[in-house]
Amino acid sequence: MTLFKIAVTNMVKNFNQYVIYFISIAISVLIYFTFISLAKNPLINKIFMRWEVLGNSLFSFAGVILILFVGFFIFYSNSYFLKRRKREFGLYALLGLRKSQISMIIIFENLLTYLLALLTGILTGIFFSKLFIMLLFWIVNLRVDTKLIVSASAITDTVYTFFIIMGITSLYAIYLIFRYSLLKLFKTEEREKKLAKGSVILTIIGISLIGFGYFLAIQVIQNSPLWTKIGFGRGVLMVLFSVIVGTWLFIRHSMPLVLRFVYNKKSSYYHGTNLITITSLRYRVRKNANTLAMIAILSATTLTIIGAISGFYYVTIEQVKTENPSSYQLLNISPDKDEEIVRIISRDKEHKLRYRTKSSYINASVKNELEKMPFNYYQNQAKFSFIPESEFNRINLIEDRKNKPIHHLKNGEAIYVGRETNNLHERRKQELKSHTFQIVSDDKKTGFGAIQVIDFRPNPVFNSGFADALLVVNDDFYNRLKEHLKVQKVAMYDVTEVDHSENLGNKIQVAAEGKVNIWSPTFSSYYSNYHMVSILMGTILFIGIFIGLVFFLATGSVIYFKQVTDAYLEQNQFTTLFKLGLTKRELRGIISRQIAPMFVIPLLLGISHSIFAMIGLARNLEYSLQMPVIIVTSIYCVFYGLYYWICVNSYTNIVTRYQP
């Protein structure tokens, strides 16, 4: 029999052993091929170019990360798969096969497995590619007729990538064959001979490191003396080091303490089948510590990536809607063009004019800036924009913006209007209120008086790009500015069905400016502003979901293959217990309790790590990420529970395979 036939026969007769490894590779192929197909899809590239979004760069960067973690996922699966087959390799050697021949068998098996996985993953990816494209367009809120496009370049890239991974895993397998002697190949992995005792001191040190990492993570970086001293790069590394090392120390040295406490409590230790469960956990706690710490970090990373990106997506999209109250706003247009725009809208059959009005504002500089001014102040070319309270109330009523009306402002009083007021911390609001701004001309030679912010309104009355940092003042102060500074006149139009008004917007901009320009300083369109941001943030969210999925699969693979390996090692022990009268119901209870710590402990730590990471991001970016984090964590727990159920079933099936 040739070596190739041996490989084929072995795979067919031991299909159950190969199927999980095959599935892990096929899923990796599916994810990677689908992602690359989207990156190379001409329709998506055309949309990126149309909206001037750097989508290709995002996909390329994410593709590198995807390759690294897909490689980790497969390599980890492969290492556990090889450990289970050590006795099989030893049997080949005992039958007279040389190590080079055993290596060739492994290469043939790997080749067949990867070819089948590539075929399965690519065909499945082609089948689902249109679904994923539709999902991407749904996230970015675009109506596009999608077509099933098979990218030959994506297929080639996928084949090349996974053949490289296959080569690496094959070399690792050959290394193991030549490394181990015949005796070591037949030697079954033993339990730890010495019980891990744990350490109260090291447990406290681990908790302290985690606590320090949390404390550092939730600081507002700009206001933290500690972050200022150590620097941003070192601070991030310090957070990661503290949390990772602290997690390992806590798990490694606290679990033996807890298990020893339960062991010494005889009433619970000898209750039911607890004796078997606790004894098994005590003898595997040292080896499990590394795995549990890895799972906790992977879980935290998954939750943080998806939670942060989905949170930013939700907040940013809502902000864009708030920041653009009118369908179209144009700056300083002539009366003739104003009338032409009205005619264009009236001739359009899909949209009707809801309202048309005009307004104005004035830009003025500040002599004495705060150390940390509102972001929109700098976006507004380091100037405040001013509007009288009477005009603000009129526009606010027309736009139905639901801002509280403003009345009876005194000289020197102002109300800040804009999206930032929803996200500003109370401390920042008080800082703005306590500062008196000296308003001056652009050359800062002419002063117009002092202004102090006394309150805030959340909803802008001008579209994004116009009067981004707006102050409402009394009419007298505005008229004084009007005598010396240029008035910016804004024509405002609002139409129905604005979410599907791209063609109408293009016609209006061509009429006003002669061409379509997304970055026009004098034309602001709700549709353009919304879709420019939604495509960018939606693409980032879509990529984040893919990356998070890979992290989740890596997390599941670490747990699953660890438990499957333990199940094969403990077959004999459970066979003995069956002979002593253990029922299958009791067996499932033992397995459920034995596996539970592998899921519960890293899950709780991972959720804790991600929550503090989200708190730090929310505090530094001044965004509320609470709801997206709750949703993402809940979904993650549901799928994590599904993994637990699969592991318990697989473990049970393995140890009961030869039982009556």
Side-chain angles (χ1 to χ4, degrees):
M1 182 180 290
T2 64
L3 296 177
F4 181 77
K5 286 185 177 180
I6 293 175
V8 173
T9 303
N10 187 42
M11 292 179 68
V12 172
K13 291 187 176 180
N14 297 283
F15 176 76
N16 290 333
Q17 293 187 33
Y18 283 88
V19 67
I20 300 300
Y21 181 50
F22 167 77
I23 290 173
S24 67
I25 300 174
I27 291 176
S28 299
V29 173
L30 169 63
I31 294 173
Y32 183 77
F33 172 74
T34 304
F35 187 83
I36 297 300
S37 295
L38 293 174
K40 295 180 179 296
N41 189 291
L43 179 59
I44 295 176
N45 290 332
K46 183 178 179 180
I47 290 173
F48 287 152
M49 293 178 65
R50 161 69 181 86
W51 293 99
E52 300 184 22
V53 175
L54 300 176
N56 290 328
S57 300
L58 293 173
F59 270 99
S60 299
F61 175 74
V64 175
I65 298 176
L66 201 62
I67 290 173
L68 294 176
F69 283 94
V70 162
F72 166 80
F73 174 55
I74 295 176
F75 186 82
Y76 201 93
S77 304
N78 178 68
S79 63
Y80 269 107
F81 182 60
L82 291 174
K83 286 179 182 179
R84 277 170 42 196
R85 300 182 63 198
K86 281 170 59 179
R87 291 175 62 86
E88 177 189 331
F89 300 150
L91 183 60
Y92 287 149
L94 192 64
L95 292 174
L97 291 178
R98 297 187 300 274
K99 289 188 175 182
S100 59
Q101 292 176 312
I102 300 174
S103 300
M104 286 304 301
I105 292 174
I106 294 173
I107 291 173
F108 285 137
E109 290 176 354
N110 258 359
L111 182 62
L112 290 172
T113 304
Y114 274 82
L115 284 174
L116 289 173
L118 281 167
L119 183 63
T120 304
I122 290 174
L123 288 177
T124 309
I126 292 172
F127 181 77
F128 284 106
S129 60
K130 185 175 180 179
L131 175 64
F132 281 105
I133 293 173
M134 292 171 63
L135 175 63
L136 174 59
F137 289 149
W138 175 76
I139 291 175
V140 302
N141 195 23
L142 280 178
R143 288 184 177 179
V144 180
D145 292 330
T146 58
K147 297 179 181 179
L148 183 61
I149 300 174
V150 180
S151 172
S153 178
I155 295 175
T156 304
D157 284 357
T158 304
V159 171
Y160 284 159
T161 299
F162 279 87
F163 266 99
I164 291 172
I165 294 174
M166 183 198 74
I168 294 171
T169 55
S170 298
L171 288 174
Y172 178 71
I174 294 169
Y175 163 75
L176 291 180
I177 296 299
F178 280 89
R179 177 187 176 188
Y180 291 124
S181 63
L182 182 61
L183 179 62
K184 285 187 177 181
L185 288 172
F186 272 106
K187 188 177 181 181
T188 304
E189 186 178 351
E190 296 179 354
R191 288 183 175 181
E192 299 167 11
K193 294 182 179 180
K194 292 183 179 180
L195 288 173
K197 295 181 179 179
S199 170
V200 175
I201 295 176
L202 290 175
T203 299
I204 294 173
I205 292 174
I207 294 173
S208 301
L209 283 172
I210 294 173
F212 175 72
Y214 287 173
F215 170 76
L216 201 58
I218 64 175
Q219 298 297 304
V220 179
I221 294 174
Q222 284 192 333
N223 300 333
S224 171
L226 186 57
W227 276 94
T228 303
K229 185 175 181 180
I230 62 180
F232 180 77
R234 292 180 182 177
V236 172
L237 291 176
M238 193 175 291
V239 170
L240 294 174
F241 176 82
S242 300
V243 172
I244 292 172
V245 175
T247 300
W248 183 84
L249 287 174
F250 173 73
I251 293 174
R252 170 66 181 79
H253 295 282
S254 66
M255 282 188 65
L257 294 175
V258 174
L259 291 171
R260 187 169 63 183
F261 172 78
V262 177
Y263 172 79
N264 292 328
K265 194 175 182 181
K266 303 303 179 185
S267 58
S268 59
Y269 179 67
Y270 290 107
H271 179 72
T273 57
N274 287 347
L275 180 149
I276 301 171
T277 303
I278 294 169
T279 301
S280 178
L281 288 172
R282 291 189 76 195
Y283 277 98
R284 292 192 180 277
V285 67
R286 183 179 285 113
K287 287 189 296 185
N288 285 342
N290 295 335
T291 305
L292 290 172
M294 185 187 299
I295 297 167
I297 299 302
L298 284 172
S299 297
T301 305
T302 304
L303 290 169
T304 302
I305 288 175
I306 301 179
I309 294 176
S310 59
F312 294 149
Y313 173 81
Y314 172 79
V315 170
T316 305
I317 293 301
E318 289 302 312
Q319 284 178 352
V320 172
K321 292 179 180 179
T322 303
E323 287 175 355
N324 295 275
S326 302
S327 302
Y328 310 103
Q329 292 188 4
L330 293 96
L331 198 63
N332 299 323
I333 63 170
S334 65
D336 292 340
K337 289 184 177 180
D338 178 35
E339 293 300 326
E340 185 179 354
I341 290 170
V342 174
R343 286 195 296 270
I344 290 172
I345 296 174
S346 62
R347 287 197 298 263
D348 193 282
K349 297 180 180 180
E350 298 181 3
H351 308 279
K352 293 183 179 180
L353 186 65
R354 292 182 63 248
Y355 67 77
R356 167 202 178 193
T357 189
K358 294 181 180 180
S359 186
S360 61
Y361 62 88
I362 295 173
N363 293 322
S365 300
V366 176
K367 183 178 181 180
N368 57 328
E369 299 181 8
L370 272 173
E371 183 178 346
K372 185 182 178 184
M373 293 284 284
F375 169 74
N376 277 347
Y377 172 80
Y378 297 102
Q379 185 173 305
N380 200 40
Q381 297 179 344
K383 294 181 180 180
F384 277 125
S385 296
F386 294 87
I387 185 174
E389 63 179 59
S390 58
E391 179 65 8
F392 171 83
N393 290 328
R394 185 185 74 85
I395 298 299
N396 183 59
L397 184 63
I398 291 174
E399 294 176 341
D400 191 24
R401 300 302 290 160
K402 300 179 181 179
N403 279 314
K404 183 180 177 181
I406 300 173
H407 298 293
H408 309 302
L409 285 173
K410 299 177 182 178
N411 282 325
E413 293 180 341
I415 292 180
Y416 186 91
V417 180
R419 66 169 175 85
E420 283 197 352
T421 60
N422 279 327
N423 303 312
L424 279 178
H425 290 227
E426 194 60 35
R427 175 182 53 79
R428 289 286 300 126
K429 288 185 177 181
Q430 292 303 321
E431 189 178 358
L432 281 171
K433 284 183 177 182
S434 63
H435 188 77
T436 300
F437 298 98
Q438 299 293 333
I439 308 303
V440 295
S441 59
D442 290 346
D443 57 11
K444 299 191 177 181
K445 293 181 179 180
T446 306
F448 303 113
I451 285 294
Q452 189 169 13
V453 176
I454 63 170
D455 204 355
F456 301 87
R457 295 292 185 272
N459 299 310
V461 294
F462 297 111
N463 277 16
S464 177
F466 297 163
D468 288 308
L470 183 65
L471 293 180
V472 181
V473 294
N474 66 20
D475 289 28
D476 290 339
F477 186 85
Y478 182 82
N479 290 331
R480 192 157 68 249
L481 294 176
K482 191 175 178 181
E483 293 176 0
H484 299 88
L485 300 174
K486 181 181 178 181
V487 176
Q488 305 293 330
K489 298 178 181 180
V490 183
M492 311 163 77
Y493 315 88
D494 197 62
V495 301
T496 58
E497 300 295 329
V498 67
D499 288 332
H500 314 294
S501 61
E502 181 179 8
N503 291 332
L504 178 60
N506 291 341
K507 292 177 183 178
I508 291 174
Q509 190 172 18
V510 169
E513 300 181 338
K515 63 177 181 178
V516 176
N517 179 14
I518 295 176
W519 303 103
S520 171
T522 59
F523 177 78
S524 183
S525 161
Y526 169 89
Y527 182 90
S528 296
N529 294 336
Y530 175 80
H531 281 88
M532 194 186 309
V533 174
S534 69
I535 288 172
L536 177 61
M537 293 304 301
T539 303
I540 294 173
L541 175 62
F542 187 79
I543 291 172
I545 291 173
F546 259 90
I547 300 298
L549 180 61
V550 173
F551 271 94
F552 178 73
L553 289 173
T555 303
S557 72
V558 171
I559 302 175
Y560 184 85
F561 286 103
K562 180 72 174 66
Q563 297 310 312
V564 167
T565 302
D566 288 348
Y568 280 104
L569 292 174
E570 293 189 349
Q571 274 183 320
N572 294 333
Q573 289 90 326
F574 279 105
T575 299
T576 303
L577 290 173
F578 271 116
K579 292 179 180 179
L580 294 174
L582 184 73
T583 65
K584 289 188 176 181
R585 183 177 180 180
E586 290 173 329
L587 169 69
R588 189 174 181 86
I590 292 171
I591 292 172
S592 300
R593 291 191 296 274
Q594 187 171 306
I595 293 178
M598 295 290 294
F599 283 84
V600 175
I601 293 173
L603 177 62
L604 294 178
L605 284 171
I607 292 174
S608 177
H609 295 347
S610 67
I611 286 175
F612 278 91
M614 291 296 97
I615 291 173
L617 285 172
R619 293 188 66 183
N620 280 279
L621 299 176
E622 298 184 341
Y623 289 146
S624 175
L625 303 175
Q626 182 178 356
M627 187 54 64
V629 169
I630 291 174
I631 294 172
V632 169
T633 303
S634 301
I635 294 173
Y636 185 84
C637 289
V638 170
F639 283 99
Y640 204 75
L642 181 62
Y643 246 129
Y644 171 72
W645 179 79
I646 292 172
C647 275
V648 171
N649 280 342
S650 298
Y651 200 114
T652 304
N653 291 335
I654 289 170
V655 299
T656 60
R657 181 174 299 171
Y658 303 111
Q659 304 304 322

